[in-house]
């Protein structure tokens, strides 16, 4: 974290250094207004990403979160994916600020036929029942992208999630509330 006393200097630093590579990682510079010093404290909680479709791998999730994770975190253990619940758990954020930046980056990101949600409590990952559509008898050749294409005209600007439960041959298509 670099603190500038004048905003014009911060803008120059952002325009010059954004995208440079340092120690194998690409530098991304964001300007933070009304900075909270508590955001620099270590962050030990996990983040939960939902829904993770069958085509999304652990390495795909790791690629998204890599800029926000500590350099000391083991890439083999910092991401776990539960295929039964379609939830990925990510841990190893450098600070609370890094978790907040990941939050801004991941929410609404389209991957594997669905728009991802990142939450810091598991209870925040469920969709209201009135915003879910149950699709039965889903064949092995159907992927999340297929269902997304069918239902996207009904989403009306809201994030949409598609989860396929292969073992039980059904899918849920959900729209988040306003």
């Amino acid at each position: 974290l670099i603190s500038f006393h004048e905003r014009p200097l911060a803008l120059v630093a952002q325009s010059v250094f954004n995208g440079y590579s340092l120690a194998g990682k690409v530098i991304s510079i964001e300007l933070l207004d009304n900075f909270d010093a508590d955001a620099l404290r270590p962050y030990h909680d996990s983040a939960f990403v939902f829904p993770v479709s069958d085509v999304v791998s652990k390495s795909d999730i790791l690629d998204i979160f890599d800029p926000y994770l500590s350099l000391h975190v083991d890439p083999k253990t910092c991401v776990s994916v539960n295929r039964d619940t379609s939830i990925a758990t990510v841990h190893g954020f450098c600070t609370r600020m890094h978790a907040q930046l990941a939050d801004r980056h991941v929410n609404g990101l389209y991957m594997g036929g669905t728009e991802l949600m990142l939450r810091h409590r598991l209870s925040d990952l469920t969709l209201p029942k009135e915003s879910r559509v149950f699709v039965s008898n889903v064949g092995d050749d159907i992927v999340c992208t297929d269902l997304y294409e069918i239902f996207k005209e009904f989403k009306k600007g809201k994030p949409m999630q598609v989860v396929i439960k292969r073992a039980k041959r059904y899918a849920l298509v959900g729209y988040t509330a306003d």
Side-chain angles (χ1 to χ4, degrees), residues 93-114:
F93 293 99
C94 295
T95 63
R96 189 167 59 105
M97 180 183 67
H98 287 88
Q100 291 168 344
L101 291 172
D103 204 17
R104 286 166 59 192
H105 174 76
V106 172
N107 279 312
L109 184 68
Y110 182 80
M111 177 180 258
T114 190

Side-chain angles (χ1 to χ4, degrees), residues 60-78:
D60 294 333
I61 299 291
L62 183 59
D63 288 345
I64 294 170
F65 285 95
D66 189 52
Y68 310 104
L69 299 177
S70 169
L71 292 174
H72 307 293
V73 100
D74 183 354
K76 294 177 185 171
T77 60
C78 66

Side-chain angles (χ1 to χ4, degrees), residues 42-48 89-93 96 99 120:
Y43 188 80
H44 302 292
D45 293 337
S46 296
F48 304 96
T89 305
V90 181
H91 61 273
F93 293 99
R96 189 167 59 105
H120 298 281

Side-chain angles (χ1 to χ4, degrees), residues 1 32 35-43 94-98:
L1 177 70
L32 303 172
F35 180 70
D36 176 13
D38 285 341
L40 292 179
R41 291 186 178 163
Y43 188 80
C94 295
T95 63
R96 189 167 59 105
M97 180 183 67
H98 287 88

Side-chain angles (χ1 to χ4, degrees), residues 12-33:
V12 169
Q14 184 182 35
S15 66
V16 171
F17 295 109
N18 218 10
Y20 271 60
S21 180
L22 179 66
K25 291 195 176 208
V26 176
I27 297 172
S28 175
I29 298 175
E30 292 195 37
L31 302 180
L32 303 172
D33 294 320

Side-chain angles (χ1 to χ4, degrees), residues 155-158 175-178:
K155 70 185 219 125
K156 297 178 183 169
K158 296 178 185 175
Y175 305 90
T176 57
D178 287 331

